[in-house]
Amino acid sequence: MHTVRIMPHGALMFRDPRPSVVGGTAKSRDFPPPSVTAGTVRTLRAKQLDMAFTKSNAETLLSWSVLGPLLALDNKIFFPVPQDLQVRGGAVVPLRPLSVGEGSGVNLPHLLRPIGCTGNSFKPEPTGRFLAAGGVYDWLADPPAAPPLSGDVWFDPSLDPRTRLKMNNTTETAEAGMLYTTEMVLLDRGRGFPGPSVFQAGSLLVRFDQPIDPAVHRIGGDGGIARFEAVADEDPWPSAPPDSLANALAAAKRVRMQLATPAFFKAGWCPDWLDPAATPENSPLRGSPPGASGHLELELVGACVPRWRPLGGWDLLRGGPKPLRRLVPAGSVYFFQVKTGDPRVLASDLWLRSVCTNQQERDGFGLALWGVWS
């Protein structure tokens, strides 16, 4: 696999499925879904090989595997903030599976436990959208180390609003009254004035099983462009967890799975390898993650999954729009108990590997980080 760095030239547009209308605002997502970067690097590679975009070549293009994208500021990796991290009264608190007291009950299927924290209920305070990799690794330990609530360990992509005017391609003049606005996303920190004193260039990292030559290429919508080049030295892709976390996983009886990229599962929020359709509702969900060796079997205890995100796209094989899909957001956290097998494979074989199956795995959906809990 080759690590490819995608460096945006200015703001980019990663549209959601909402239609764009005259007088309205075309809004970008704050981060591209995996299908966008996978499609873009495959298209770039195909152009460099002079491959025609025919249906006969489509299966070859779709078989090329892409992992990511991950966010990098300069050479520092950031992950979506874990959903089991909440802020209450200026303090970070972890969410964990709760025990149901005697005389109480829940209507969750498959003996799942509710997720929460001890103490009175509260409205969570906002956090940054992304957390530096070091802070995420510390949070995945047990006990979790809370990151500071301010500083450069957090990052929020900013939006760049612009007013635009439709042009007549024949007369090359503006069409009266055809105004619209866009909100594109900036992945840099410190762009603009006044702003932070330190500028950090934002980029996207992917792992691609095909080599590419350096190039400037379109990405996203509205004419966005970026420079694509293979990372030659000091590869920042986090291929393995820090030793402390790997050692903790080796002896763990309880493990956490945190999604670094959004996932698509047939059963909605539930990973395919747990197969809720084949499990009686009063039985626990058990299974082995894709690629796990050593007869590892995990039992799902609970999950922190926020509201689903919509995703459309273009079907290259069929030659038409894809049906709308519901994605499990990046940052979602699943809590497991280790039933059988050696959990050290979570650090050695499954770190930042996809927990999805089929084409979603080759497109980079469902990359997972692993940690421990108690």
Side-chain angles (χ1 to χ4, degrees):
M1 299 288 278
H2 310 268
T3 300
V4 177
R5 188 187 296 275
I6 305 171
M7 293 166 283
H9 288 194
L12 297 177
M13 172 66 78
F14 305 112
R15 288 294 312 280
D16 59 24
R18 287 175 291 187
S20 178
V21 297
V22 173
T25 300
K27 295 184 177 181
S28 173
R29 302 169 188 266
D30 60 1
F31 200 67
S35 51
V36 170
T37 48
T40 303
V41 295
R42 286 172 182 151
T43 300
L44 174 59
R45 178 60 178 162
K47 288 181 177 177
Q48 292 179 344
L49 294 175
D50 290 328
M51 288 177 65
F53 287 88
T54 60
K55 288 191 175 181
S56 59
N57 284 333
E59 291 188 4
T60 301
L61 294 175
L62 293 173
S63 69
W64 293 345
S65 181
V66 184
L67 303 179
L70 300 183
L71 171 66
L73 293 179
D74 290 341
N75 232 22
K76 191 174 181 180
I77 299 295
F78 283 70
F79 291 113
V81 65
Q83 293 299 308
D84 63 340
L85 183 156
Q86 299 286 337
V87 177
R88 174 176 62 182
V92 176
V93 295
L95 303 185
R96 291 290 180 268
L98 300 176
S99 298
V100 179
E102 186 176 351
S104 303
V106 296
N107 58 355
L108 294 173
H110 303 292
L111 306 180
L112 295 177
R113 289 158 56 180
I115 303 295
C117 61
T118 58
N120 298 327
S121 60
F122 65 97
K123 182 177 181 180
E125 299 165 24
T127 64
R129 172 74 176 81
F130 290 87
L131 179 61
V136 172
Y137 299 154
D138 292 341
W139 185 255
L140 288 170
D142 185 47
L149 290 177
S150 61
D152 60 4
V153 298
W154 300 94
F155 177 69
D156 281 302
S158 57
L159 294 177
D160 181 23
R162 301 181 186 184
T163 300
R164 297 171 179 263
L165 186 60
K166 182 181 178 182
M167 299 294 292
N168 186 309
N169 293 331
T170 302
T171 62
E172 297 185 347
T173 58
E175 294 191 15
M178 304 298 279
L179 286 170
Y180 67 101
T181 58
T182 61
E183 287 185 354
M184 305 171 77
V185 65
L186 285 165
L187 297 179
D188 301 326
R189 190 203 295 274
R191 183 182 288 272
F193 184 83
S197 57
V198 177
F199 174 80
Q200 291 179 299
S203 60
L204 304 170
L205 292 179
V206 297
R207 296 272 281 172
F208 189 28
D209 66 358
Q210 299 289 314
I212 66 163
D213 299 324
V216 174
H217 192 263
R218 288 186 180 275
I219 182 172
D222 220 39
I225 58 174
R227 178 170 177 79
F228 293 69
E229 64 180 26
V231 176
D233 302 317
E234 299 183 15
D235 188 347
W237 185 269
S239 300
D243 291 343
S244 58
L245 187 55
N247 293 335
L249 283 167
K253 297 298 182 185
R254 295 176 173 180
V255 296
R256 272 184 285 167
M257 181 182 81
Q258 177 184 327
L259 296 179
T261 59
F264 174 74
F265 302 127
K266 294 176 184 175
W269 64 273
C270 186
D272 297 344
W273 43 278
L274 295 172
D275 199 3
T279 306
E281 196 165 292
N282 57 354
S283 299
L285 292 168
R286 293 179 179 174
S288 184
S293 57
H295 306 288
L296 178 68
E297 185 182 54
L298 305 178
E299 179 180 304
L300 184 64
V301 177
C304 289
V305 180
R307 189 175 187 273
W308 56 272
R309 304 290 171 82
L311 179 68
W314 185 260
D315 191 327
L316 185 60
L317 275 175
R318 195 169 56 87
K322 294 179 180 177
L324 194 70
R325 293 180 288 174
R326 295 180 174 186
L327 297 184
V328 179
S332 297
V333 178
Y334 293 75
F335 296 86
F336 295 96
Q337 285 185 339
V338 179
K339 302 306 289 184
T340 62
D342 187 353
R344 73 183 65 201
V345 299
L346 300 174
S348 60
D349 299 343
L350 303 185
W351 183 259
L352 267 184
R353 306 299 297 187
S354 177
V355 292
C356 296
T357 55
N358 302 324
Q359 188 59 44
Q360 286 72 36
E361 178 185 4
R362 292 187 289 275
D363 287 348
F365 287 97
L367 301 191
L369 305 167
W370 296 89
V372 294
W373 66 282
S374 62

